[in-house]
């Protein structure tokens, strides 16, 4: 079976596994106070400048902990209607007491003009004290559809947020696959400069688990460590996250994994396009969305694992093929041969 | 440095690491639907009879997810005043909306008679509808002081809970060290029979992370998986937990780790007693609590890592020494030589 | 000034005030255990059949207490996107931990077919365990736009809810004005028969404050009284609500108030239509929505108090005129003369 | 029947009822923006200096809204173990996500020295980041046992709070009965000067419902009005609270009610003491706690309504007699004749 189901269907990159094995017997303090967490945080700072780094286990967890830490009691987070927090996180943000206000999705993205218009409209409404108060903005890069914000788009959103004094949070669960796309015009340093807090995802980019949360200094909520404990998000053996991120960031492994997987995904995309398969979304990253007829889907399913994204009204299927560090070029070739 | 700081200062047992490495490249579905999670759940059922098994990442996480899943909106959980959820979980239960009602600690333990008296008193109070309603009972085995419930004590609590229709939850973050203590008169099967839900901890017994949550069939809350997602407690690569628990439970590694560590701890305890050090708690498990003078503490700290539990009113210190799979007999001998 | 701002700008109907004064010195137990609450609940049961009645203070309070009492932890409430809980309750439902899932508003109403389609789509989605689970349905009668569900429409929604085992909650903050509209084809008994829980609003129909919450027997959550206390919704002097509802329901005052106010509102509507003012919504109840040019608005504002509902893209204004027990026919005539 | 059950068993003081009747037909904006709320707030400021005033409906509601507005996500409120929020509010504070940390009750009161020791101990504990962070201090004046803080005691607590940067919240549900006790050495102005936020209770001092919340300027949380809406605590007809507080504060009615009721309570207390009944608590305010044998209790219950506070281990009963504006001197005399 050719496996394109997702980027979390194998374990970790072999170099990450090697790092875990090598450091396994070292005695280190718990709760993220070990030397590997410090080293990984330093490596992150070397890449993007001064930042407060915390390591959490998963993407939904990072989102709910960060959002509920930054919002005040009566505030809501703004997201695109396709945003992960608005769809596939089981109401995690609401469980912490906050509404997710959704704006239209433009290919998975928020539009700075629409955000500005929403905020002006909100405060122009005489009844706004009876409505949840916008308290921060959430976006994902790449988006849930694999698409990318340009640097200008991100700057536009960031400047809007500055004007309205709203923290901007970038969910980078697949940030490597975004930054290493040939279509991307921004760096990690840009991300750090144009957001108030962002995550750099490990789980989908070669780690067993782990997301780095990076706060702009001054934005970090007082008591954040206690909040992570309070939400069950603090690992006793925090080293598990530190060792992995250290291995990923040392010698650029994180970027090498990302670049390679994006290359394989784009080769696959080119093959789909060449064979006349329509695209569901035009993604320059490691997730590819194409439209299959029922017959095509049935035929491909016999040889390849991929996921159904949506059943279209006309009976066809939007499906997703994902590459990762574990994807082999031969598998891509084999899939191409089936098209 | 002789390391007795805690049972989560090293990575995982080498056999667990080997299992992670061996299975690393296997493609498996995410979110705990992999074959290793199924195998580990089967292994648990072989040990304790029919049970619904879920794997979560950490102890505080397991506690807050289980408790908030079982309680109704206006209900509270009853615990000993020394219970982990009442002290060292940063208000995690309260953050999910529920009070922790504390009863006196009898060497870390709840007493069935006191529980019964509390419940009778609660319902005899004409104003009880104005108070948080007792909704479940929490205990830890071994307790936070390393002490153990006897089977008769656990049965007494379970029967009290049955009479009042309260689920009984046993936090087994260190359950192996309890069951393999020579002082223990119960088996895992007894635990399953005398509770409604219990955890079997991995983090402190040889895994990198992971707690198995075992619900008595019929007790499992509908929608529990969604709740774990909602609380950021569902790993994308759920295999990380499945592979580790499979390795721990296959061939009895979990019990071997536990028995060995308890043996070393008791040897250490015997040495302390022999040398005339007073015990702070009389623990038959892998955590040993002794009382040191300031001078003794200062001297030992130069050679050994341990933790200060409490500063006593007379200026002495209650300190804790902990053993684990990573503790070497030579280290115990070296420490004994220092006493 | 002609006052059409809302139906909560005066105190209470004089007969309600008289009842408060007459009963003022009676000694009665607190917390809703007084004889007036019992009498009012009996009066309600006489009107709509067996039901469990509780009296709360306000509309948002009733909504958040009822919804959070009926939902399980991971469940969400479905509402029209114009529903009060989705717009003007400051995120009250989310603060209790639950998402509001919005469906399109059809003149303020939910459509049974769209509800069915949503539910089928939800469960057909393989990832639905990662999404908030639909747990109940909320609608308002009359809606926020003054419109009314027909009995057939309500039955359609109720049957859909039955099929999916979802409680149906009808927010009747202005229920009197709905049931006494000449366009309404249902009775209070129908409301009770075709919902699982509904409110009968007092605040906007002649009381100083107060909403009656009526649960279908068997639906009432165990511990509901404690939940009201827990959410700060239990009045010490519960008699304040009982006396008022008793006065409103005795001798049909509630219905007389409603019928009269709807009559005045429809007279006003007829005048607007006759003078060629376009309607923003075609309401058969006590709230009337018309569209004014900026000049018309400016002119009318000098003589009458009304509220701006929305600024339309073409620069005109949707505005709302509301009648109540306190509206005088002369005021309606005076306003008509201004059109 | 002689009625001493509580201070919320009758309606409101006749002058308050008269004010409601007189203002009933006035058209005023909703949600507390009416002229009566403004007038009542001005009256309060005239009494205690600059303060931000909000009117809420009930005591538990005021407590939960204020506490959850002032605490940050990971913070807890400190209270005496007898504090209303720790006992008789159905877990309302916990439902908003926060733990209530309890300190010993000294006759219902917190002790500044014990508070200081607790705070020093908390921060001296190396694991304090794993525990709920103390975020504010709650006390009630008079306490739940009718006792009073002296001005020196309150100042001691306030200064401790200042040192640790913790807001001090004084629950004044019965504040009038405290300030007008002959044993009280403080004024409302002192209360305002020695707290960060306090309530002045209306429900138990002559109103149908209503508590005034007074924040020290600068302490008021941004968005507080939205929070009250979010918690179902904003009345549509906010005038109901404004009119009542205006009537209570105009011409000193509030203080007259308080002084008179305390006088009657102390006369009753003197009679109990004279007849040799032991006191359960030595209260100088409108709640009197005495100890009755079972026979005494049974005999008195035939003629008088009072509440059982606690069944003592020796079989006797601690009971409570409460006076209010509605208590008649003849009733006190009649009760005295029964002793």
């Amino acid at each position: 079976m050719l496996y394109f189901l997702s980027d979390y269907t194998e374990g970790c990159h072999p170099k990450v596994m090697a790092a875990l094995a090598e450091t396994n017997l070292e005695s280190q303090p718990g709760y993220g106070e070990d030397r590997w967490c410090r080293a990984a945080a330093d490596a992150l700072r070397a890449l993007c400048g001064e930042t407060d780094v915390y390591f959490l286990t998963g993407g939904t967890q990072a989102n709910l902990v960060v959002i509920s830490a930054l919002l005040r009691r009566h505030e809501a987070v703004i997201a695109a209607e396709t945003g992960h927090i608005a769809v596939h996180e089981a109401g995690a943000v609401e469980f912490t007491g906050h509404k997710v206000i959704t704006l239209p999705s433009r290919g998975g993205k928020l539009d700075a003009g629409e955000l500005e218009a929403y905020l002006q409209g909100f405060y122009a409404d005489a009844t706004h004290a009876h409505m949840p108060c916008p308290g921060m903005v959430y976006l994902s890069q790449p988006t849930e559809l694999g698409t990318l914000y340009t640097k200008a788009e991100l700057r536009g959103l960031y400047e809007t947020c500055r004007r309205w004094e709203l923290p901007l949070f970038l969910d980078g669960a697949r940030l490597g696959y975004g930054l290493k796309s040939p279509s991307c015009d921004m760096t990690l340093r840009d991300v750090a400069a144009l957001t108030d807090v962002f995550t750099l995802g490990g789980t989908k980019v070669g780690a067993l688990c782990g997301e780095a949360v990076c706060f702009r200094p001054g934005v970090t909520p007082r008591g954040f460590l206690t909040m992570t404990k309070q939400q069950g998000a603090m690992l006793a053996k925090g080293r598990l996250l530190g060792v992995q991120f250290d291995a990923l960031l040392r010698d650029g492994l994180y970027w090498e994994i990302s670049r390679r997987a994006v290359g394989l995904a784009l080769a696959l995309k080119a093959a789909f396009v060449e064979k006349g398969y329509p695209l569901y979304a035009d993604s320059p990253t490691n997730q590819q969305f194409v439209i299959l007829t029922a017959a095509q889907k049935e035929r491909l399913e016999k040889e390849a694992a991929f996921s159904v994204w949506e059943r279209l009204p006309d009976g066809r299927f939007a499906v997703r093929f994902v590459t990762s560090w574990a994807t082999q070029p031969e598998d891509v070739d084999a899939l191409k041969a089936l098209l």
Side-chain angles (χ1 to χ4, degrees), chain A:
Chain A
M1 181 67 73
L2 306 168
Y3 229 73
F4 295 92
L5 202 56
S6 79
D7 34 19
Y8 44 83
T9 48
E10 289 79 26
C12 58
H13 189 280
K15 288 188 181 172
V16 174
M17 183 58 76
L20 287 170
E22 278 162 29
T23 61
N24 191 46
L25 296 183
E26 258 186 39
S27 294
Q28 287 285 327
Y31 305 120
E33 296 176 6
D34 60 279
R35 71 176 179 110
W36 299 107
C37 281
R38 282 199 304 278
D42 287 344
L44 260 167
R45 279 187 282 269
L47 288 170
C48 69
E50 200 48 47
T51 181
D52 287 341
V53 182
Y54 297 86
F55 297 102
L56 299 178
T57 312
T60 295
Q61 183 181 87
N63 288 342
L64 76 90
V65 172
V66 167
I67 290 170
S68 69
L70 284 176
L71 289 183
R72 299 185 65 243
R73 184 158 301 274
H74 64 304
E75 292 178 339
V77 56
I78 299 173
E81 64 195 347
T82 48
H84 208 253
I85 58 168
V87 182
H88 277 122
E89 300 193 354
V93 169
E94 289 86 357
F95 190 63
T96 68
H98 302 284
K99 185 184 179 87
V100 180
I101 296 170
T102 53
L103 294 184
S105 159
R106 305 305 178 193
K109 296 189 278 182
L110 284 176
D111 176 80
E114 290 179 335
L115 175 61
E116 175 70 28
Y118 167 77
L119 291 165
Q120 289 190 6
F122 179 84
Y123 285 106
D125 186 329
T127 67
H128 69 77
H130 296 241
M131 301 195 285
C133 181
M136 68 187 292
V137 174
Y138 164 96
L139 57 82
S140 36
Q141 170 84 322
T143 71
E144 293 72 16
L145 290 173
T147 53
L148 285 174
Y149 288 89
T150 65
K151 191 167 160 183
E153 287 170 339
L154 182 60
R155 177 174 291 123
L157 286 162
Y158 185 60
E159 287 172 354
T160 306
C161 286
R162 283 286 67 68
R163 270 197 302 284
W164 294 90
E165 297 184 6
L166 298 173
L168 178 60
F169 171 27
L170 183 147
D171 175 349
R174 293 187 170 99
L175 187 51
Y177 301 126
L179 295 180
K180 290 306 157 192
S181 163
S183 305
C184 189
D185 67 351
M186 73 179 73
T187 63
L188 189 63
R189 200 168 284 268
D190 294 329
V191 168
L194 297 174
T195 63
D196 292 288
V197 53
F198 69 93
T199 55
L200 184 76
T203 309
K204 298 181 172 106
V205 195
L208 287 166
C209 61
E211 312 286 306
V213 176
C214 303
F215 285 102
R216 172 186 299 282
V219 172
T220 319
R222 187 162 46 87
F224 187 70
L225 266 185
T226 301
M227 295 179 196
T228 66
K229 180 80 181 184
Q230 184 189 37
Q231 298 184 283
M234 186 192 274
L235 280 189
K237 293 178 175 170
R239 64 191 290 144
L240 169 59
L241 304 175
V243 168
Q244 291 186 93
F245 268 96
D246 180 73
L248 285 168
L249 295 173
R250 209 191 315 143
D251 305 329
L253 175 60
Y254 189 85
W255 311 113
E256 182 187 318
I257 287 171
S258 300
R259 192 183 297 108
R260 182 181 167 284
V262 171
L264 292 171
L266 294 182
L268 193 54
K269 176 185 182 179
F272 275 117
V273 169
E274 192 188 339
K275 300 280 181 169
Y277 289 76
L279 297 178
Y280 175 74
D282 188 5
S283 159
T285 61
N286 78 316
Q287 299 184 88
Q288 292 300 322
F289 296 85
V290 297
I291 294 174
L292 302 183
T293 64
Q296 289 169 333
K297 172 172 166 284
E298 197 180 340
R299 183 166 56 80
L300 283 178
E301 276 173 347
K302 288 181 188 140
E303 313 274 350
F306 51 90
S307 59
V308 173
W309 200 251
E310 191 185 336
R311 192 191 168 119
L312 303 179
D314 64 8
R316 291 183 302 164
F317 294 87
V319 302
R320 185 183 72 162
F321 291 83
V322 188
T323 61
S324 77
W325 65 268
T327 308
Q328 297 306 318
E330 306 84 80
D331 289 358
V332 173
D333 292 341
L335 180 58
K336 283 160 71 173
L338 290 171
L339 299 184

